[in-house]
Amino acid sequence: MRCFVLVCYDVSNDKRLRKIFNLLRGYGEHVQYSIFLCQLTDKDKVVLSEKIKDILDLAEDQAILISLGQVDGKRGSMPLHWHVIGTPLVLADNSVMIY
């Protein structure tokens, strides 16, 4: 079962910042500066957490993973209880279709 996980980070070094950004691009949707919305299984969340730990300087940087509940619907959906003010948040449907 996939769950929505909001990943927020504050990284003080440009090299580590680029590494964490590139890592998270492979796991989710970049929704705002230093914020990604991911759809992860429990295993994915553990693996991602370990990869983040390997990149961050734990004395200077911080990452927060916030579970938002189960994914309902297709991969391009967003949490139903979100209320977005301003420009609409449109998530890409990155699922693969095979004919």
Side-chain angles (χ1 to χ4, degrees), residues 80-95:
L80 298 176
H81 58 279
W82 278 27
H83 178 75
V84 178
I85 299 171
T87 59
L89 178 61
V90 179
L91 302 178
D93 182 0
N94 295 326
S95 57

Side-chain angles (χ1 to χ4, degrees), residues 2 39 70-77:
R2 288 180 292 132
Q39 296 182 22
Q70 185 175 344
V71 174
D72 291 325
K74 63 182 182 177
R75 188 172 288 277
S77 66

Side-chain angles (χ1 to χ4, degrees), residues 5-24:
V5 178
L6 198 64
V7 181
C8 313
Y9 56 92
D10 185 13
V11 178
S12 61
N13 172 279
D14 287 341
K15 184 177 179 181
R16 291 192 308 269
L17 181 66
R18 282 190 301 276
K19 284 184 178 183
I20 200 80
F21 179 84
N22 287 330
L23 170 68
L24 290 171

